[in-house]
């Protein structure tokens, strides 16, 4: 009987160790995934070319309707196209 209890304890210890390794790996895996995602986001945000910044973007946005509705302007609203960008 003592051998059966000893064997059950050994099996429990093995299962507990396996469970500990699994959850430790799961937590570290999610941490690693978060770190990789953040690094990719930072690299993507900082590697944009400088010509993507529009000067006075906010002020142009505030005056958007006035700019194209005034009768004295010959401007037409710009068309949006993704051609020519890589």
């Amino acid at each position: 009987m003592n051998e059966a209890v000893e064997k059950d304890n050994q099996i429990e210890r093995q299962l507990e160790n396996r469970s500990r390794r699994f959850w430790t790996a799961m937590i570290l895996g999610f941490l690693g995934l978060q770190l990789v995602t953040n690094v990719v986001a930072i690299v993507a945000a900082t590697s944009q070319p400088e010509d993507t910044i529009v000067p006075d973007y906010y002020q142009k946005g505030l005056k958007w309707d006035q700019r194209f509705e005034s009768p004295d302007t010959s401007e037409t609203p710009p068309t949006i196209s993704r051609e020519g960008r890589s």
Side-chain angles (χ1 to χ4, degrees):
M1 180 138 189
N2 194 17
E3 290 178 18
V5 172
E6 187 83 23
K7 187 164 180 126
D8 285 344
N9 286 341
Q10 183 181 8
I11 292 172
E12 276 188 39
R13 281 194 303 269
Q14 287 175 347
L15 289 174
E16 186 176 341
N17 286 337
R18 185 181 300 165
S19 178
R20 284 181 182 176
R21 281 193 303 268
F22 171 78
W23 287 109
T24 302
M26 183 71 75
I27 291 169
L28 291 176
F30 280 129
L31 177 63
L33 180 65
Q34 183 68 36
L35 289 173
V36 168
T37 303
N38 287 341
V39 167
V40 168
I42 290 169
V43 168
T46 58
S47 67
Q48 296 294 322
E50 294 300 321
D51 64 342
T52 58
I53 298 172
V54 177
D56 297 326
Y57 176 79
Y58 181 72
Q59 292 300 322
K60 285 181 182 179
L62 291 176
K63 297 176 184 176
W64 179 265
D65 291 331
Q66 298 164 358
R67 194 168 126 199
F68 295 110
E69 288 179 358
S70 82
D72 61 336
T73 184
S74 61
E75 288 188 63
T76 58
T79 57
I80 298 173
S81 173
R82 300 272 310 165
E83 294 177 17
R85 294 198 68 183
S86 55

